[in-house]
Amino acid sequence: MLFRKEIEPCCSYCRFSGPLTEEQVTCLKKGVVSAAGSCRKFSYDPLKRVPPRPAAPKFGQWKDEDFSL
């Protein structure tokens, strides 16, 4: 499954919003609103959501002996 069925509403990835600044978006239904806000007209647009970056691997925990035969 690519997306969870229950997405928490957020104006920054709503179908009706567009970016204005980093903290504000323009909504076709409500006008200028907070990017973290939401309303009952929320419609999820997966292309607007930016996923979190994956954690960096910890290479320091491995030794050369772990990779020798």
Side-chain angles (χ1 to χ4, degrees), residues 2-4 7-8 10-14 17 19 22 25 35 44-54:
L2 292 174
F3 306 110
R4 295 183 312 200
I7 299 293
E8 186 176 330
C10 183
C11 288
S12 62
Y13 45 84
C14 178
S17 70
E22 196 169 303
V25 294
Y44 180 62
D45 185 358
L47 298 177
K48 289 186 179 180
R49 188 166 190 178
V50 179
R53 294 188 61 136

Side-chain angles (χ1 to χ4, degrees), residues 16-44:
F16 300 112
S17 70
L20 187 62
T21 65
E22 196 169 303
E23 298 173 356
Q24 292 182 333
V25 294
T26 56
C27 177
L28 293 175
K29 306 290 183 181
K30 301 284 183 176
V32 178
V33 295
S34 169
S38 66
C39 68
R40 63 184 182 151
K41 295 287 187 179
F42 174 77
S43 178
Y44 180 62

